[in-house]
């Protein structure tokens, strides 16, 4: 099977300039050119671009997505298929990535036409006590705030901001074309080592409605059956985030691109286990027996590739935990040993029962922390991404009592975070 | 810190040497200095502390007069102005365990001093132990007294010195139903793969999120539906127009009972929903969609179901914590039983 080469170009400095150039760890960005490019997108009325660096007294609010800049330089297909080209993924060829940075897209969605769906806050603090809890405080962020045309419905707004963010991400990564990579890695899981256990990853992803969904090659995942997706397809941008209701336990595009669980499973492929496949399962199905159908099918796919073990992750929280637990049950019933990675909902003071649902078979659950925990956001000098905390008149750089759920990436179930809840 | 730790010590009538079961009615009583196991505890404190008072209560007295016992014992404790409070160890003894837990919790909460007890992990007292008090694990039998006291002494002195206390599995105290976040040296990705390897390779592994202890609820025996007194219960947040009791739209902690006496259905003029978890338009158009009163009345008239209760019960199920859900369920059940309702239709959204 053809391979994917990933060339890494680290970024330790971001600056604005009159030319977009990558040189020796420094990415200079022609922000005027970038802004003009984005303003050409239908549905966008205005674009504000800022840089937030680790250690800055800066808070980013109204975060929609976090995206690692990537581009495809050789091989069939495009980067972010379904958005920047036909929805045809290959998972092969050569892609370039700018590590140590992200495009952070921010906007305040207009939910008037869809009154049941409310955007939640999404916050990244670049310094202070809360910065420790999100992985995104440790990278250089290009913050792009979009002011949208109010005449679109919520689904259209989601797609406009998503497409624009991915375009910006590719535009930045294109600055590395022709440059020598610091690291070049060939990715393949074709060769299995006999005698090692087979491990799969089952990613239960959000699939419900605008602001609570996942894009698979540009399409909502509502209604899909569980399916295999190759890690190399994910590296190319097959999965893009669409979650704006909660921040900390939601999967971002950055998580899908840089999935630390897949990274670790891949590192030891052929050495300690064989990574036999990655399965995505749509969660938030509307009926219980549909949840059973989806989770049993995911377990059947795992069994099809002779999995001995499965790491099962989830997304955002709530009734998607039913699918996640059922996937555990169905795997264990088929003799596949499971480890779950889950967020807890223990309430503001940590005394509530953390698991929304559970099955007897779930004897190994890794904690990514209590998302309900009360936190105090300190005053910052600057706020980007928006003016006030969503739905309030309080400026976003002011001190505020919130919950951890508002902090992007803090309770990521794909493995980025070090936050963990424990018995005290 | 680390001044001398003045200690007040609680134990039951047996350990105090007053008597056995025959003296379990002993009301609260205080002794100056150390009695029973408090003497050994005092030796372990050495020059780091003293036991100034021992307070004692009979296990039966405490169980039957809990409020007064705690009130009177607290007064005896406060009077001695202690720096730390010790209770038990209760080992496997349930009544002693509950008394130690309840009193330690009250002392810690009201006096703000370290309060440490010990008992077997399955002792019913464990569930009654509330932060900021602590309970250390102990064996069932009192033969391990010296070992338990050693741990209790070390832990109490650590608290007294103001040292930071880590999670229960690191420090050796029993979990208290309190989950707090902290930063782990490893990412969850590293921990997950390491733990899965342990499970696959047959090595011991420990979950980071234990499942609740009591998972199974045995279903009660079925009722004869055409004869049963039936109630309607919902989490759909359907309330009389105007939401007279201010039922919460999410994170609800309340439930209410509303009359349906003489009503053949709920209408968009009489009732509405306050639930924040779904598009309200359809429920408001016809609140029978949440509380199926219209259909229930038809079945009642046809004799297919027995008499309908003249009220329905409601709460809002969006983002309700599991603890609140369990409490509300228990309270609703008690109310329904009192009204002679044998079965309910519980609608969810």
């Amino acid at each position: 099977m053809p391979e994917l080469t990933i060339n890494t170009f680290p970024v330790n400095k971001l600056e604005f300039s009159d030319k977009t150039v990558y040189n020796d760890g420094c990415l200079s960005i022609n922000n005027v050119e970038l802004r003009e490019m984005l303003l050409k997108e239908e549905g966008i009325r205005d674009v504000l671009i800022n840089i937030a660096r680790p250690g800055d007294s800066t808070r980013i609010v109204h975060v929609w997505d976090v995206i690692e800049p990537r581009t495809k330089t050789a091989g069939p297909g495009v980067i972010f298929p379904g958005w920047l080209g036909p929805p045809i993924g290959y998972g092969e060829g050569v892609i370039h990535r700018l590590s140590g940075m992200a495009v952070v897209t921010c906007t305040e969605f207009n939910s008037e036409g869809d009154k049941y769906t409310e955007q939640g806050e999404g916050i990244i603090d670049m310094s202070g006590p809360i910065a420790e809890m999100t992985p995104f405080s440790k990278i250089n962020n290009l913050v792009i705030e979009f002011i949208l045309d109010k005449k679109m419905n919520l689904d259209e707004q989601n797609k406009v901001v998503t497409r624009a963010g991915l375009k910006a991400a590719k535009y930045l990564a294109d600055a590395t074309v022709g440059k020598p990579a610091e690291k070049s890695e060939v990715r393949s899981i074709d060769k299995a080592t006999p005698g090692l256990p087979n491990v799969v990853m089952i990613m239960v992803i959000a699939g419900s409605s605008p602001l609570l969904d996942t894009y698979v090659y540009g399409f909502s995942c509502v209604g899909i059956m569980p399916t295999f997706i190759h890690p190399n397809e994910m590296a190319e941008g097959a999965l893009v985030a669409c979650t704006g209701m909660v921040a900390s336990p939601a999967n971002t595009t950055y998580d899908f691109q840089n999935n630390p669980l897949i990274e670790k499973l891949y590192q030891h492929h052929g050495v300690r286990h064989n990574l036999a496949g990655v399965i995505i399962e749509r969660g938030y199905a509307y009926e219980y027996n549909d949840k059973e159908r989806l989770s049993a099918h995911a377990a059947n796919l795992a069994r099809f590739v002779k999995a001995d073990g499965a790491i099962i992750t989830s997304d955002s929280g709530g009734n998607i935990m039913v699918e996640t637990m059922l996937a555990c049950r169905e795997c264990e019933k088929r003799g596949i040993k499971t480890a779950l990675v889950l967020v807890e909902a223990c309430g503001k003071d940590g005394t509530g029962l953390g698991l929304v649902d559970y099955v007897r078979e779930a004897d190994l659950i890794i904690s990514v922390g209590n998302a309900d925990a009360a936190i105090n956001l300190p005053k910052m000098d600057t706020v980007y991404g928006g003016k006030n905390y969503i739905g309030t008149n309080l400026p976003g750089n002011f001190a505020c009592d919130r919950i951890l759920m508002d902090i992007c990436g803090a309770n990521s179930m794909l493995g980025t975070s070090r936050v963990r809840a424990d018995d005290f | 810190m680390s001044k001398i730790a003045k200690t007040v010590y609680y134990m039951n009538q047996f350990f105090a040497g007053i008597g056995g079961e025959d003296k379990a009615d002993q009301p609260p009583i205080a002794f100056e200095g150390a009695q029973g196991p408090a003497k050994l505890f005092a030796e372990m404190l050495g020059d780091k502390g003293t036991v100034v008072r021992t307070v004692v209560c009979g296990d039966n007295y405490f169980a039957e007069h809990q409020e007064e016992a705690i009130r009177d014992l607290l007064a005896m404790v406060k009077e001695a102005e202690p720096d730390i409070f010790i209770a038990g160890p209760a080992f496997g003894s349930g009544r002693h365990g509950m008394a130690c837990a309840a009193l330690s919790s009250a002392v810690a909460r009201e006096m703000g001093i370290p309060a440490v007890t010990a008992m077997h992990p399955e002792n019913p007292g464990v569930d009654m132990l509330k932060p900021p008090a602590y309970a250390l694990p102990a064996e069932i039998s009192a033969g391990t007294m010296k070992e338990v006291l050693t741990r209790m002494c070390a832990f109490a002195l650590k608290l007294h010195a103001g040292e930071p206390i880590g999670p229960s599995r690191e420090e050796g105290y029993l979990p208290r139903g309190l989950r707090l976040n902290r930063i782990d040296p490893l990412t969850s990705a590293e921990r997950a793969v390491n733990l899965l390897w342990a499970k696959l390779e047959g090595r011991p592994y420990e979950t980071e999120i234990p499942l609740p202890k009591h998972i199974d609820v045995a279903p009660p025996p079925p009722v004869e539906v055409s004869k049963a007194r039936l109630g309607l219960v919902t989490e759909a947040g359907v309330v009389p127009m105007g939401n007279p009791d201010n039922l919460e739209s999410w994170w609800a902690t309340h439930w209410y009972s509303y009359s349906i006496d003489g009503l053949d259905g709920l209408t968009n003029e009489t009732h509405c929903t306050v639930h924040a978890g779904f598009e309200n338009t359809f429920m408001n158009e016809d609140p029978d969609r949440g509380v199926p009163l219209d259909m229930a009345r038809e079945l009642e008239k046809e004799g297919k179901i027995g008499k309908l209760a003249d009220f329905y019960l409601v709460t809002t199920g969006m983002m309700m914590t599991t603890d609140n859900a369990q409490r509300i369920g228990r309270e609703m059940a008690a109310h329904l039983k009192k009204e002679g309702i044998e079965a309910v239709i519980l609608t969810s959204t």
Side-chain angles (χ1 to χ4, degrees), chain A residues 53 74 250 394:
Chain A
R53 302 173 179 86
L394 184 66

Side-chain angles (χ1 to χ4, degrees), chain B residues 99-153:
Chain B
C100 288
L103 186 56
S104 302
S105 304
V107 167
R109 190 183 59 240
E110 301 213 6
M111 297 176 63
I113 59 171
V116 181
T117 181
M119 62 194 75
H120 188 267
E122 312 262 287
N123 191 311
V126 172
D127 285 341
M128 297 175 64
L129 190 284
K130 303 288 171 214
Y134 288 91
L136 303 188
E139 300 290 320
I140 295 254
S141 117
T144 55
M145 175 68 80
K146 186 165 171 205
E147 188 273 329
V148 180
L149 286 182
T150 309
R151 284 188 283 119
M152 288 170 81
C153 187

Side-chain angles (χ1 to χ4, degrees), chain A residues 344 363 367 370 418 422-423, chain B residues 168-169 179 181 185 199 205:
Chain A
E344 300 180 58
D363 70 346
S367 167
N370 173 23
R418 285 165 207 272
D422 224 328
D423 287 314
Chain B
S168 66
R169 64 189 166 82
R179 303 273 296 174
N181 290 331
K199 196 168 173 181
Y205 59 91

Side-chain angles (χ1 to χ4, degrees), chain B residues 218-285:
Chain B
V223 295
E224 175 52 65
V225 163
S226 63
K227 300 198 177 76
R229 276 211 76 202
L230 199 74
L232 298 175
V233 181
T234 186
E235 66 74 30
V238 170
V239 293
M241 194 62 82
N243 193 13
D245 295 295
N246 276 317
L247 174 65
E248 302 109 315
S249 292
W250 64 342
W251 297 104
T253 55
H254 296 90
W255 60 275
Y256 298 103
S257 170
Y258 292 114
S259 173
I260 47 175
D261 195 22
L263 293 180
D264 280 338
L266 306 182
T267 76
N268 61 11
E269 281 165 12
T270 61
H271 291 76
C272 65
T273 180
V274 298
H275 201 293
F278 55 82
E279 158 71 76
N280 289 168
T281 305
F282 304 105
M283 189 65 75
N284 285 334
E285 262 172 26

Side-chain angles (χ1 to χ4, degrees), chain B residues 10 49 58 87 89 92 102 113 154 186-187 213 229 235 249 281-283 288 298 300 306 311:
Chain B
Y10 171 84
I113 59 171
L186 300 177
T187 63
K213 279 185 279 191
R229 276 211 76 202
E235 66 74 30
S249 292
T281 305
F282 304 105
M283 189 65 75
D288 287 315
E298 273 188 36
E300 191 185 31
F311 60 89

